[in-house]
Amino acid sequence: MHNITLNNNELSLRCRLQGGALLNLATPDGVNILRPTINPLAPPGECALFPMLPMANRVEGNAFHWRGKRISLPSSPYDERFFLHGDGWLRPWTLEQRQPDSVTLALASVLPGVCRYDARLRYELQGGTLLATLGITNTDDQPFPFGLGFHPFFTKTPAMTLWFEGNGYWPEREHHLPAPWRDTLPAGWNFSSPRVPGDKWINNAFSGWPGRAALHDALDGSIVTLSSSADILMVYQPDGSDFICLEPQTHPVNAHRQPALPGLAILEPGESVTLEMQISRTVQQGAA
């Protein structure tokens, strides 16, 4: 399996062509910003980061109606009910361009009866920042509602607080699908002031996200900042985990089953849409 390493004075990463996934994102002195992947052949859900396309998360019933036609989504090797996170994280990408501080990957996908698309995925190190850019182009002869996302696994310590703003969330119901949106956040999940996320299960999408979140570790004074052009932030944390996923998505979960298709980009043949994400780490002066 072809792995690619990028380094500068502040960051290093390893990327693999399978799934377009990152295997790590770390500092030169060995601080893992994202959960490191021990086995380079690990399933994509065990990697440090992977892209989500041509949709993020799940669609109820694994099917939806689009312009008078029922679209049945493929099965997934990692979810018995859903075409989980699309197929971009499952397929081998090709190396399109490599430079000392960046790599660009390409993917051409055909999902019979669903859609056809080309994608570009670029990882670039800019000082202490990782810039990830994911673009998708409709190569079919019919329009289709596309969605994009990134799924990073941030390392977490007991002293780490999480901060981000939001104006509501979707509670989780059976099969990890969303219940109706609520405009009041539970006290334990209101991160408008920094708070420790704890070690309990979280699997919810938050609306009204202005595109910025921060993880502050009081032990070493570091601040890991996530920025994105996405409107939705999905937060996933299994019970007792040493990581937390802060996932920028262009659309809420199950958007394909909503009348207004919120957040989905209806692309005509040849049209494209792009999602950007930045992850950076700084250390406060005077911190131990």
Side-chain angles (χ1 to χ4, degrees):
M1 182 177 294
H2 192 172
N3 296 334
I4 300 162
T5 300
L6 300 179
N7 296 282
N8 65 15
N9 292 332
E10 299 181 57
L11 291 176
S12 67
L13 67 78
R14 277 192 304 139
C15 168
R16 75 180 189 190
L17 296 184
Q18 179 61 37
L22 292 190
L23 301 179
N24 79 328
L25 178 67
T27 65
D29 56 352
V31 176
N32 291 309
I33 299 170
L34 298 180
R35 174 190 65 178
T37 311
I38 305 303
N39 177 7
L41 301 178
E46 297 178 14
C47 291
L49 181 156
F50 59 79
M52 298 183 285
L53 67 158
M55 59 193 64
N57 216 282
R58 298 164 172 84
V59 176
E60 186 170 8
N62 212 38
F64 63 97
H65 285 88
W66 169 243
R67 300 197 172 183
K69 179 182 177 182
R70 176 181 169 85
I71 305 295
S72 295
L73 298 173
S75 59
S76 169
Y78 297 109
D79 194 301
E80 62 181 4
R81 293 184 174 88
F82 304 104
F83 185 47
L84 179 64
H85 302 321
D87 69 329
W89 68 317
L90 306 176
R91 295 185 180 273
W93 295 60
T94 60
L95 177 60
E96 185 172 85
Q97 186 179 54
R98 180 178 180 180
Q99 297 179 338
D101 58 358
S102 68
V103 60
T104 302
L105 309 181
L107 174 66
S109 178
V110 177
L111 298 171
V114 181
C115 66
R116 180 193 300 261
Y117 68 86
D118 285 350
R120 296 290 183 276
L121 175 58
R122 178 180 172 87
Y123 295 118
E124 181 178 0
L125 297 182
Q126 298 179 346
T129 299
L130 164 67
L131 173 60
T133 306
L134 179 62
I136 194 168
T137 301
N138 183 4
T139 58
D140 212 334
D141 58 1
Q142 299 293 325
F144 188 80
F146 288 90
L148 300 174
F150 285 107
H151 200 306
F153 295 75
F154 292 91
T155 56
K156 187 183 67 170
T157 70
M160 188 171 282
T161 60
L162 169 62
W163 167 87
F164 68 87
E165 296 179 346
N167 63 6
Y169 82 115
W170 287 266
E172 186 182 21
R173 57 184 173 92
E174 64 178 357
H175 305 318
H176 308 301
L177 291 166
W181 178 82
R182 297 180 184 176
D183 62 2
T184 302
L185 297 172
W189 293 348
N190 187 341
F191 295 99
S192 57
S193 296
R195 63 183 301 134
V196 175
D199 59 0
K200 300 299 184 183
W201 177 271
I202 305 174
N203 191 31
N204 301 88
F206 293 81
S207 62
W209 182 54
R212 185 178 175 87
L215 291 163
H216 177 214
D217 191 339
L219 291 179
D220 63 8
S222 66
I223 300 176
V224 173
T225 302
L226 166 73
S227 303
S228 178
S229 57
D231 293 326
I232 301 294
L233 182 66
M234 186 79 189
V235 180
Y236 170 59
Q237 174 182 266
D239 289 328
S241 70
D242 59 357
F243 66 84
I244 187 167
C245 298
L246 308 176
E247 309 163 37
Q249 298 180 182
T250 58
H251 61 92
V253 181
N254 205 32
H256 293 78
R257 296 291 293 261
Q258 308 305 314
L261 303 177
L264 294 171
I266 300 175
L267 300 183
E268 298 290 334
E271 290 186 334
S272 304
V273 67
T274 300
L275 173 64
E276 291 187 350
M277 177 186 71
Q278 296 182 12
I279 297 173
S280 62
R281 181 181 183 269
T282 59
V283 179
Q284 295 176 332
Q285 289 187 347

